[in-house]
Amino acid sequence: MGATYVESAVRSLSDELRNIHFELEQPLESQMSFAMQIQSPQTLPTPKDSNFHPVDVEESVSTESSQVLSMPHLIDFLKITNQRSQLQHENKDKSMATLPQVANYIEPLYDTFFCPLTKQIMDDPVTIENGVTYERKVITKWFETFGHRDDIICPITGMKLTSKVLSTNVALKDTIEEWKERNETARIKVARTSLSLASSDSLILEAIIDLQHVCKRRYNKVKVLSVGILPLLIRLLGYKDKDVSYEALELLRQLTEEDDEVKEMIANTMDVLALIELMSSSHQEIRHASLLLLVELSRSQALGGKFGSAAGAILMLIRVKFNHHVDSFASEKADEILKNLETFPNNIKRMAEFGFLEPLLNHLTEGSEEVQMEMTSYLGELILSNDNKTYVAEKASSSLIKMVQSGNTVLRNTAFKALVQISAHHPNGRILVEAGIVKIVAEETFTRGIYEELMDTKKEAAGILANILESGVEHDSIRVTCLGHGISSDYVVYNIIHMLRNSTPVNESEASYTLIELINNPHEQLGIAAIKLLILLAPHVGNTLAERLCKTWGQPRSLIECFDETNHITEKQAVSAKFLAKLPQQNLTLNLALLNSNMVPSILRRISAIQRNRMKTSRHVTVYLEGLVGILVRFTATLYEPQILFLARTHNLTLVFTELLIKTSSDEVKRLSAIGLENLSSESINLSRPPQEKKTKSKKRFHLPNFSSSWSLETRKTPVLCPVHRGACSPETTFCLIDAKAVERLLLCFDHVNDEVVEASMAAICTLLDDRVDVDKSVSLLSEINAIQYILNVLKEHKQEGLWQKSLWMIEKFLVTGGNKSVSDISRASLISAIHTGNDSMKQMAENILRHLNRMPAGPSSQFFQ
């Protein structure tokens, strides 16, 4: 930059700069001479400070000492010194000297400030024996270059020195320090003016870099802030020139280092989002600089609290933290910032909301009771993914269980809510069981008094227990007592009932509070949790529960009444239907109670509506449909009761189940329908009677809209004898599978991949091969529709023992009637496998089949296969 630019910069200084008064310790002529030196850089000595490049070696040498300096020893020393100085400044642009020159023009230099060797302003001037002053470090290194004390000379005068003593030039040192302070003050004001004018990118950049050098002296930071430079720097963070943005970030970081007051000032002035946006800059230097500044600012109480409320700030930091493979430095600094922000609970909550749970869990497990309460409350409010539920279960289960055992009611409630959410993910069941939660929630559900504290804990405990029992953990492995009793053991189940009977009274006249009574609890979720638990207990004490249900006031009517006629299916409706279906089907007391409630027409209407796709928007529709079908199947298990037999005939359950075999995608509905048909078909032989000549009147019966085309309830004028049941048959009166066209649909289910569906379908067909029916006629009918091929496919495709046993039994029935040809495709290997691996019954059937096929000689099978 030339003299023209310097004069222009000086004229543009602010009024406050014009009013600065400096005492001059130099004649005016000397100042004018100095100004001329600025215009003629070749003239020595040029004004310079600690930021200037050292002058050329040859220009450093005065003519008076040219003889001495011609010695190689001194020339080598100066070259080495010059190279070191150049390495320190090689990355600085030469134009960066302009603003310091302006300041030096205002606050002139003395020639005596410069070290004769380095031509730089001295920091620690010392005088040697002959009275010449040097920079202490430089002259010390000069002395070290001599091997012998007697060889030491003064580098400028060439005089031999007898002493290496260095005396601090106190007067000169003080003068230099005073000048530096005045000069730096002037440089700060020059830089402020440059930033305010912002006339060019280079001027702004030079001002920022000069301020960086000035602020290396800590007390200058206060001066920089006092003249209003901070807002100017913040404004430059989004500047178009990336070098300006980077240097502004560096200067801000420099100002904040080891200065909490500056951090507070920046926090109160700066918008956090402006810094956060810089983290996504395409320039790595800016990204790193912004993170380094954030590291400093995140230690500030004022700014740290703002992060949680700044939209996207914490999310951006989390993303950077976990992108270690993209930028390891940025990842490390983001992690450091997040750790600093953990001092603010709201920040921890935001981190958890974005999936970074580690800080929350650390404070939850290691913090004070107050902190634990706050963290647990946050955890209960969060909506966690399944992976995060498992992470929490692994890290915090033990701590949460300790909290529910504490005497702090609020802490207990928050811990219970968190555990409900964790237990909802079934794979966590094992983790919670191993942590010892079952005994605690069982006690909470069954023994803690209703008035001891808020009902929420009882509701949450019941929900946790239900979730664990549904999780797939084997019930026998769940230990509840110190004696090792499992949750499904008779001891525990009956003790649960005992605890229910002896729990806190609900009112003066009622002395029990049981799981059945919990169904009607005003807290719907508690009622749902209780029903889920009852479903899991049903296989073990189902009859007890069924009898208790029928004896409880308002039951089972309240469960049935929730089957309203709206198109929306609730979770309580679904689990209620499932519970009624899971109770023992042969329990006549419950079946009669359901019959007397007149619920079957409603169930049939609901099934029809579901089949017409009117309710499939609900996520509970499948469970609900399975429950409804299961309730209908209940009635088929007690057909010996005249009222239930009349119900089955009135509503033509044979055709209902036949249609359901093909009009549903649920495996459970198919399985239940096949079981219903099996139960109905088992009664056909008892209900089929020789035809009566007298015509009977037609009775009005209920028709399902969905099945009306298939159901014809008109009495036949000329009854046709059923060849299998040897009497007059129909789907509605004798439940004949042949007359209902159910056989073909059951055979189609033989090709199903679900073993349970196949087995139930085979069991229904087996009723047509029972010894009480005409087996010959039945085999003949089944052969006409190629039933044997379906049976052989089951033997080929499935390995389940129950299926093999039924297949072999049916094949034997075919062979006994002389149908060798129809089973000629049976695999000899399959029969041999059945003999070797099956039970006694299977072995016997396989042997019989082989004999019928003339593939096995008479005699003990053991001799043949040994």
Side-chain angles (χ1 to χ4, degrees), residues 508-558:
E508 294 180 0
S509 62
E510 180 61 40
S512 67
Y513 189 79
T514 68
L515 277 175
I516 300 296
E517 290 163 336
L518 282 173
I519 294 173
N520 292 327
N521 193 277
H523 297 276
E524 183 172 338
Q525 289 303 313
L526 177 57
I528 291 171
I531 296 171
K532 288 181 178 179
L533 180 57
L534 287 167
I535 291 170
L536 293 160
L537 291 173
H540 308 286
V541 286
N543 283 311
T544 301
L545 293 175
E547 297 296 328
R548 176 64 176 166
L549 181 68
C550 294
K551 292 178 181 178
T552 300
W553 185 85
Q555 294 294 356
R557 183 172 297 279
S558 67

Side-chain angles (χ1 to χ4, degrees), residues 434-537:
E434 292 175 354
I437 196 173
V438 175
K439 185 177 179 181
I440 296 167
V441 294
E443 178 183 354
E444 186 74 22
T445 303
F446 304 127
T447 62
R448 186 175 288 274
I450 189 172
Y451 298 113
E452 288 183 26
E453 60 180 84
L454 296 175
M455 271 296 292
D456 280 350
T457 57
K458 188 178 288 291
K459 176 182 70 175
E460 309 293 359
I464 295 167
L465 186 57
N467 287 339
I468 290 173
L469 293 174
E470 284 185 329
S471 68
V473 178
E474 291 186 11
H475 297 172
D476 289 337
S477 68
I478 301 177
R479 296 291 174 258
V480 178
T481 71
C482 57
L483 299 176
H485 292 104
I487 188 68
S488 62
S489 66
D490 291 342
Y491 175 85
V492 170
V493 171
Y494 283 108
N495 270 276
I496 288 175
I497 302 299
H498 175 74
M499 287 189 290
L500 293 174
R501 290 170 180 162
N502 292 279
S503 57
T504 304
V506 177
N507 52 50
E508 294 180 0
S509 62
E510 180 61 40
S512 67
Y513 189 79
T514 68
L515 277 175
I516 300 296
E517 290 163 336
L518 282 173
I519 294 173
N520 292 327
N521 193 277
H523 297 276
E524 183 172 338
Q525 289 303 313
L526 177 57
I528 291 171
I531 296 171
K532 288 181 178 179
L533 180 57
L534 287 167
I535 291 170
L536 293 160
L537 291 173

Side-chain angles (χ1 to χ4, degrees), residues 320-366:
V320 174
K321 169 184 166 60
F322 288 102
N323 278 338
H324 187 273
H325 62 286
V326 175
D327 190 334
S328 58
F329 178 84
S331 173
E332 179 185 338
K333 294 306 169 186
D335 183 56
E336 188 176 347
I337 295 166
L338 289 168
K339 280 185 170 61
N340 292 339
L341 296 178
E342 287 180 26
T343 54
F344 302 91
N346 193 48
N347 290 339
I348 296 175
K349 183 178 180 181
R350 291 288 175 268
M351 293 177 201
E353 287 174 352
F354 294 125
F356 184 36
L357 293 167
E358 188 175 353
L360 185 148
L361 298 181
N362 288 341
H363 285 76
L364 185 148
T365 55
E366 300 170 7

Side-chain angles (χ1 to χ4, degrees), residues 214-482:
V214 169
C215 287
K216 288 178 180 178
R217 291 158 67 93
R218 188 171 180 179
Y219 62 83
N220 282 331
K221 293 180 180 180
V222 177
K223 295 180 181 178
V224 167
L225 294 169
S226 66
V227 297
I229 287 179
L230 181 58
L232 299 175
L233 290 175
I234 292 174
R235 187 182 66 190
L236 292 171
L237 293 181
Y239 197 74
K240 59 183 179 180
D241 188 292
K242 300 305 178 184
D243 291 334
V244 171
S245 296
Y246 170 75
E247 297 299 344
L249 285 165
E250 285 292 289
L251 179 54
L252 285 170
R253 180 176 62 84
Q254 188 178 358
L255 290 170
T256 60
E257 287 177 339
E258 301 178 3
D259 198 323
D260 292 337
E261 289 185 11
V262 177
K263 289 185 178 74
E264 298 294 321
M265 290 176 64
I266 294 177
N268 294 327
T269 309
M270 177 179 288
D271 181 7
V272 178
L273 287 178
L275 263 181
I276 296 298
E277 288 175 2
L278 292 176
M279 289 198 310
S280 59
S281 171
S282 57
H283 297 267
Q284 187 183 70
E285 284 188 343
I286 291 180
R287 291 200 306 272
H288 289 183
S290 64
L291 283 163
L292 288 171
L293 176 56
L294 281 169
V295 168
E296 293 296 331
L297 295 177
S298 61
R299 300 187 178 107
S300 160
Q301 291 295 311
L303 189 62
K306 290 183 178 180
F307 271 86
S309 56
I314 288 179
L315 176 59
M316 178 67 76
L317 287 168
I318 292 172
R319 285 179 176 172
V320 174
K321 169 184 166 60
F322 288 102
N323 278 338
H324 187 273
H325 62 286
V326 175
D327 190 334
S328 58
F329 178 84
S331 173
E332 179 185 338
K333 294 306 169 186
D335 183 56
E336 188 176 347
I337 295 166
L338 289 168
K339 280 185 170 61
N340 292 339
L341 296 178
E342 287 180 26
T343 54
F344 302 91
N346 193 48
N347 290 339
I348 296 175
K349 183 178 180 181
R350 291 288 175 268
M351 293 177 201
E353 287 174 352
F354 294 125
F356 184 36
L357 293 167
E358 188 175 353
L360 185 148
L361 298 181
N362 288 341
H363 285 76
L364 185 148
T365 55
E366 300 170 7
S368 63
E369 186 175 278
E370 183 179 353
V371 171
Q372 286 182 331
M373 196 181 317
E374 194 167 14
M375 296 300 106
T376 309
S377 177
Y378 288 161
L379 186 59
E381 296 171 5
L382 290 174
I383 299 175
L384 299 174
S385 66
N386 287 336
D387 287 343
N388 281 337
K389 287 176 185 175
T390 300
Y391 181 73
V392 173
E394 292 171 345
K395 296 290 184 181
S397 291
S398 298
S399 298
L400 290 170
I401 290 171
K402 288 179 183 177
M403 292 177 197
V404 301
Q405 294 176 289
S406 73
N408 186 323
T409 301
V410 177
L411 186 60
R412 277 169 46 80
N413 286 342
T414 56
F416 268 122
K417 287 179 180 178
L419 285 166
V420 167
Q421 184 175 187
I422 296 169
S423 65
H425 184 43
H426 288 169
N428 293 340
R430 174 69 61 186
I431 299 171
L432 294 172
V433 167
E434 292 175 354
I437 196 173
V438 175
K439 185 177 179 181
I440 296 167
V441 294
E443 178 183 354
E444 186 74 22
T445 303
F446 304 127
T447 62
R448 186 175 288 274
I450 189 172
Y451 298 113
E452 288 183 26
E453 60 180 84
L454 296 175
M455 271 296 292
D456 280 350
T457 57
K458 188 178 288 291
K459 176 182 70 175
E460 309 293 359
I464 295 167
L465 186 57
N467 287 339
I468 290 173
L469 293 174
E470 284 185 329
S471 68
V473 178
E474 291 186 11
H475 297 172
D476 289 337
S477 68
I478 301 177
R479 296 291 174 258
V480 178
T481 71
C482 57

Side-chain angles (χ1 to χ4, degrees), residues 516 519 531 534-535 549 559 575-583:
I516 300 296
I519 294 173
I531 296 171
L534 287 167
I535 291 170
L549 181 68
L559 285 174
V575 296
S576 297
K578 184 176 180 179
F579 173 50
L580 291 173
K582 291 293 184 182
L583 289 172

